[in-house]
C-alpha cells in the first residue's frame, strides 16, 4: 500500500552490508531509484540490528520527542509544563492511534517529527551545539528547513550572537560531513533535490492517480484546478524563502518583548504550516511535524508566562 518503508528497509540493509545504498531497487515497482536523504533512512539500521519491526523506530522517535517537551537541561522534568501540555499531547496521540494510524503503520515521518522536536528542545534550552546537530538532521531528512535555517543563522550573526552562531556551525559541520561521506549520498544529491519538480511533472502526467490524494487531504491544492497547481508550486518555493526573511527581519520590533529562541520556534511553526499547506501533493502524514512543533510553541509560551509571574511575585 506504500513503498516508503520497503525502500528504506532495503537502503538500511544495504548500508549494513557495505553495498551502494542508492543503487536501483529492482524488487520495487520494477526498479526504483532511492531518493531519501541519509538522516531519513539511517536510523532504521536499528531495526536490522535489534531485529524489531522498523515502525518501532518511528514510534520511539515521536515518544522521545514528546518526553523532551517536559524536560529541561538544568532542572530535569518540569511538572508544571507536563500538566499544561498533557491535554494536547493526549489528543494528538489518540488521533494518531485511533484515527490516522497510517502515520506509524505506513510512513517514516516519525523520524522527521523527532528531529524537529529535538530542534525545538535545543532552541528552548539554548543548547546551541545541539541546535546545529538538530538542524542538520532536519535538513538531511527533508530539506524544507533550509531557508529557515539559513535566515536563522544570519539573524544570530546580525544580532552579534557570534558565539552561539559559531557553536551551531560546528554542530552542523560535525554532523553533516560524516553523514554525507559515510553514506555516499552526496553523489545522488542532484537526483534527490530534483524530486520537487519531478512531483509536479508526475502529477500533471497522471492526474487520476494523484487527485484523490489531493482532494481527501489538507492543504490548498484541493481548492485549485490542475492548471493552477504549477503556480501553487512556485508560490511554495517563493514563500519558503520570503516567510523566514520577513519573520526574522521583523524581530527587531519584538525583541524587547520575547526571547529570540521563542521567536525562532514561532517562525519555524509558521514556515512549516505555510510550506505543507502549499504542497501540490499534500499527504496527510506530512502535517504532523507542524503539529508537534506547535506543542513546543505552547511549552515556550508557558515557560515565559511562568517566568513573568515569578518576577511579579518577587
Amino acid at each position: 500500500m506504500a513503498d516508503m518503508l520497503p525502500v528504506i528497509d532495503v537502503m538500511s540493509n544495504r548500508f549494513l552490508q557495505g553495498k551502494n545504498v542508492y543503487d536501483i531497487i529492482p524488487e520495487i515497482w520494477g526498479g526504483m531509484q532511492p531518493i531519501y536523504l541519509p538522516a531519513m533512512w539511517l536510523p532504521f539500521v536499528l531495526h536490522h540490528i535489534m531485529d524489531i519491526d522498523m515502525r518501532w523506530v518511528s514510534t520511539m522517535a515521536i515518544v522521545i520527542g514528546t518526553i523532551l517537551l517536559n524536560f529541561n537541561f538544568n532542572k530535569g522534568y518540569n511538572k508544571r509544563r507536563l500538566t499544561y501540555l498533557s491535554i494536547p499531547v493526549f489528543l494528538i496521540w489518540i488521533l494518531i492511534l485511533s484515527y490516522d494510524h497510517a502515520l506509524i503503520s505506513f510512513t517514516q515521518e516519525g523520524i522527521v517529527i523527532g528531529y524537529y522536536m529535538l530542534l525545538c528542545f535545543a532552541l528552548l534550552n539554548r543548547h546551541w551545539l545541539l541546535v546545529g546537530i538538530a538542524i542538520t538532521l532536519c535538513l538531511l531528512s527533508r530539506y524544507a528547513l533550509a531557508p529557515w535555517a539559513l535566515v536563522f543563522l544570519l539573524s544570530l550573526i546580525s544580532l552579534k550572537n557570534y558565539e552561539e552562531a559559531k557553536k551551531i556551525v560546528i554542530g552542523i559541520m560535525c554532523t553533516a560531513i560524516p553523514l554525507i561521506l559515510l553514506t555516499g549520498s552526496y553523489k545522488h544529491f542532484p537526483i534527490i533535490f530534483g524530486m520537487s519538480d519531478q512531483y509536479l511533472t508526475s502529477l500533471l502526467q497522471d492526474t487520476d492517480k494523484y487527485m484523490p490524494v489531493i482532494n481527501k487531504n489538507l492543504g490548498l491544492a484541493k481548492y485549485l484546478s490542475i492548471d493552477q497547481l504549477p503556480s501553487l508550486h512556485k508560490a511554495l518555493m517563493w514563500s519558503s524563502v520570503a516567510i523566514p526573511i520577513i519573520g526574522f527581519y521583523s524581530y527587531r520590533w519584538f525583541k524587547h518583548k520575547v526571547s529570540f529562541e521563542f521567536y525562532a520556534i514561532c517562525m519555524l511553526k509558521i514556515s512549516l504550516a505555510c510550506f505543507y499547506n502549499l504542497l501540490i501533493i499534500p499527504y496527510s502524514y506530512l502535517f504532523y511535524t507542524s503539529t508537534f512543533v506547535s506543542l513546543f510553541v505552547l511549552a515556550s509560551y508557558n515557560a515565559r508566562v511562568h517566568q513573568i509571574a515569578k518576577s511579579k511575585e518577587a
Side-chain angles (χ1 to χ4, degrees):
M1 295 180 69
D3 58 29
M4 297 90 77
L5 291 177
V7 170
I8 288 174
D9 183 32
V10 173
M11 295 177 76
S12 54
N13 189 41
R14 283 177 174 176
F15 178 75
L16 285 175
Q17 294 177 358
K19 298 179 180 179
N20 187 345
V21 173
Y22 288 92
D23 280 346
I24 297 289
I25 303 175
E27 302 89 348
I28 301 178
W29 304 126
M32 169 173 274
Q33 172 69 58
I35 47 85
Y36 294 113
L37 288 161
M40 180 75 86
W41 60 263
L42 199 55
F44 290 93
V45 167
L46 290 173
H47 115 82
H48 294 287
I49 295 174
M50 301 175 67
D51 193 26
I52 57 174
D53 190 303
M54 64 191 304
R55 290 167 292 191
W56 280 113
V57 179
S58 295
T59 303
M60 290 311 300
I62 302 176
V63 169
I64 291 170
T66 306
I67 292 172
L68 291 178
L69 269 170
N70 309 297
F71 192 85
N72 185 290
F73 265 119
N74 301 318
K75 300 177 182 178
Y77 280 101
N78 187 324
K79 293 181 180 179
R80 187 175 185 276
R81 190 184 300 167
L82 177 62
T83 303
Y84 185 77
L85 294 171
S86 58
I87 293 177
V89 169
F90 175 76
L91 290 175
I92 292 172
W93 272 103
I94 288 296
L95 174 66
I96 293 172
L97 296 175
S98 65
Y99 178 73
D100 197 16
H101 56 80
L103 172 69
I104 299 296
S105 57
F106 293 141
T107 84
Q108 72 290 348
E109 207 64 22
I111 293 296
V112 181
I113 293 169
Y115 290 154
Y116 274 87
M117 293 180 84
L118 178 64
L119 172 59
C120 292
F121 169 75
L123 280 169
L124 194 57
N125 286 276
R126 299 177 59 86
H127 195 296
W128 302 109
L129 187 64
L130 186 58
V131 168
I133 294 171
I135 284 176
T136 307
L137 294 174
C138 291
L139 287 173
L140 291 181
S141 57
R142 293 199 185 280
Y143 51 86
L145 185 73
W148 178 93
L150 180 59
V151 178
F152 167 72
L153 194 56
L154 292 175
S155 297
L156 270 179
I157 295 172
S158 69
L159 293 170
K160 299 182 179 180
N161 295 329
Y162 302 123
E163 191 63 29
E164 291 86 343
K166 177 182 175 182
K167 290 179 180 178
I168 291 173
V169 171
I170 291 173
I172 291 173
M173 298 301 291
C174 290
T175 309
I177 293 174
L179 275 179
I180 292 171
L181 294 180
L182 190 63
T183 60
S185 56
Y186 63 93
K187 301 174 185 176
H188 301 271
F189 278 172
I191 296 173
I192 295 171
F193 294 140
M195 285 306 298
S196 178
D197 293 330
Q198 188 62 42
Y199 280 126
L200 178 60
T201 302
S202 300
L203 170 61
L204 296 177
Q205 290 176 349
D206 193 355
T207 55
D208 292 338
K209 175 183 177 181
Y210 291 105
M211 284 310 297
V213 175
I214 293 173
N215 290 330
K216 75 177 183 180
N217 284 314
L218 302 172
L220 299 178
K222 61 185 175 184
Y223 300 109
L224 303 176
S225 66
I226 290 295
D227 295 337
Q228 293 173 315
L229 291 180
S231 299
L232 182 67
H233 185 61
K234 290 180 181 179
L236 168 67
M237 298 301 163
W238 283 105
S239 64
S240 296
V241 177
I243 290 172
I245 291 176
I246 295 170
F248 281 109
Y249 182 79
S250 65
Y251 176 68
R252 63 178 64 190
W253 290 291
F254 300 99
K255 61 183 179 181
H256 300 299
K257 298 180 180 180
V258 297
S259 67
F260 182 71
E261 303 80 50
F262 175 64
Y263 198 81
I265 293 175
C266 290
M267 287 312 307
L268 176 60
K269 165 62 186 179
I270 294 171
S271 298
L272 287 173
C274 292
F275 180 87
Y276 288 122
N277 275 285
L278 293 175
L279 284 175
I280 55 173
I281 308 179
Y283 290 102
S284 62
Y285 63 83
L286 297 172
F287 288 80
Y288 280 98
T289 302
S290 176
T291 303
F292 277 95
V293 168
S294 293
L295 295 176
F296 276 92
V297 174
L298 285 173
S300 304
Y301 177 75
N302 177 49
R304 176 64 175 166
V305 170
H306 184 57
Q307 183 182 10
I308 293 173
K310 288 184 67 176
S311 63
K312 287 183 177 179
E313 290 175 3

